[in-house]
Amino acid sequence: DAGITQSPRHKVTETGTPVTLRCHQTENHRYMYWYRQDPGHGLRLIHYSYGVKDTDKGEVSDGYSVSRSKTEDFLLTLESATSSQTSVYFCAISAGSGGTANTGELFFGEGSRLTVL
Amino acid sequence: GENVEQHPSTLSVQEGDSAVIKCTYSDSASNYFPWYKQELGKRPQLIIDIRSNVGEKKDQRIAVTLNKTAKHFSLHITETQPEDSAVYFCAGYSSASKIIFGSGTRLSIRP
């Protein structure tokens, strides 16, 4: 398995509290992604990064922010958690294929289950 | 931006029969077409992919076909086995490195 770890793996929090999920990689991959997975919705892209300090929005970015200050870490922050953000969050990394856009395999972390009460 | 539609959402086949899942994509610049498999409680993993310079790729019982004109690609699983039961996702890769997944197909294999 690719060297990717997510923390925490499980978290229960209350509405209105801030939450930060961490994705850490040891592969020195360029691309990092955050997805959420909910029943009936598959994997939806929240934010992604194509380099240190380079990030962009995905399909469902409202209520989320990200930061990537170094290659190995990609942080996902919920500034004020809501019950609609209860989900399983997956981080994924990719080395890319050498071109200007990523066309490489994604390697996923084990997921972080977040429950917002 | 890239839009990916996947059908069907659920599929049940008799063990030993074939299963086909189809995805359509919108970004005509896309040139990489992967399929991921997610077993219950586990992370998604790549099972097969194809690049736009070929029309078909096989790996034992699974194959992916690509029709760039119609902008769709399909996953074919032959001689299905119980371990094929899982959720399968296609993905669309945009020119901006944004990777969008289809909504998934839950495949069940009946004994």
Side-chain angles (χ1 to χ4, degrees), chain B residues 97-108:
Chain B
S97 300
K98 182 182 292 188
I99 303 173
I100 303 297
F101 283 84
S103 53
T105 298
R106 183 173 298 279
L107 175 63
S108 301

Side-chain angles (χ1 to χ4, degrees), chain B residues 11-27:
Chain B
L11 180 60
S12 178
V13 301
Q14 194 79 30
E15 183 177 348
D17 287 350
S18 296
V20 181
I21 305 169
K22 182 177 176 179
C23 271
T24 60
Y25 61 95
S26 60
D27 189 341

Side-chain angles (χ1 to χ4, degrees), chain B residues 59-80:
Chain B
D59 183 3
Q60 299 182 339
R61 295 186 298 107
I62 61 172
V64 55
T65 58
L66 172 66
N67 184 328
K68 286 216 76 177
T69 302
K71 291 197 282 189
H72 68 70
F73 59 111
S74 299
L75 176 69
H76 305 255
I77 306 174
T78 59
E79 301 173 20
T80 53

Side-chain angles (χ1 to χ4, degrees), chain A residues 31-87:
Chain A
Y31 299 93
M32 300 186 75
Y33 299 80
W34 276 109
Y35 293 89
R36 60 177 290 175
Q37 185 169 37
D38 306 288
H41 291 280
L43 293 157
R44 292 183 291 175
L45 180 64
I46 305 172
H47 282 280
Y48 67 104
S49 171
Y50 46 95
V52 174
K53 292 188 168 51
D54 291 323
T55 65
D56 204 351
K57 295 179 179 180
E59 305 168 273
V60 290
S61 57
D62 287 349
Y64 301 95
S65 62
V66 290
S67 66
R68 191 171 180 198
S69 58
K70 46 187 177 178
T71 299
E72 56 265 37
D73 287 326
F74 192 32
L75 304 180
L76 177 70
T77 297
L78 291 66
E79 299 291 346
S80 178
T82 67
S83 57
S84 65
Q85 293 176 311
T86 292
S87 187

